[in-house]
Amino acid sequence: MADKPPVALENRGEGEDGRRYSPSVARNRDPIRDVLAQVFIPPARVLEIASGTGEHGAFLTSGLPGLHWTYSDLDGDSLMSQRAWQQADTAGRLAGPLRIDASAQDWGDAESLAPWDAVFCANMVHIAPWPAAEGLIRGAGRLLRPGGLLILYGPFARSGAMAPSNAAFDESLKLRNPDWGVRDLDRDLLPLADASGLALQSVTDMPANNLLVRFRKPG
């Protein structure tokens, strides 16, 4: 998958210092923070997969003391933006970015830095080939500490049903790339999680028909 980096479905502005800005992050970061504030017991070390602009890590660490966040990505422009956000961090709680192909059997430096308290991934699995979702869940099962969390955010189907807006989005994604599409949490992801030793802990409804899903590694 290394020759097919993640794709942004929006225009992203860039500041003079190289930090990029995502309209979708501006919309979803507050609801995500509000949920995660009830989840994390600081200090917590989080590995983000497909960090995009890097805004989630910067925003969440600024609002949640004790959170330590490590960026990762495959896309060169995204890695540059994440590096700029890390360099602008004055609290010293942003790290990376690491170059990680989620579909790979080995995540490089993330392996030696394990175990992680959480692996976070927002809005990736529907705009990446299916092996990326398989690798994401497999990697989380391998690198999380006992009791650690895999946290996914984005649009999902549930047992074959999805909101009309997500169905239209799914159709548009498949027209762009037949390997993309809104994944079914119950039919597609839960079997992968079970095979990787992860148990579904909670599903939280989020704005715009998105979900925040938490899997837990027993222990």
Side-chain angles (χ1 to χ4, degrees), residues 65-120:
L67 198 63
H68 296 262
W69 198 275
T70 298
Y71 294 127
S72 78
D73 220 296
L74 268 182
D75 176 62
D77 288 341
S78 296
L79 289 166
M80 290 176 61
S81 179
Q82 294 157 31
R83 190 170 294 110
W85 280 101
Q86 189 275 329
Q87 291 171 349
D89 172 41
T90 58
R93 291 190 283 117
L94 292 176
L98 308 178
R99 186 173 182 85
I100 294 178
D101 176 356
S103 68
Q105 295 289 337
D106 188 301
W107 285 1
D109 290 341
E111 305 276 342
S112 60
L113 294 170
W116 298 90
D117 296 305
V119 173
F120 175 86

Side-chain angles (χ1 to χ4, degrees), residues 22 52 81-82 144 147 161 178 195 205:
S22 160
S81 179
Q82 294 157 31
L144 285 170
D205 291 326

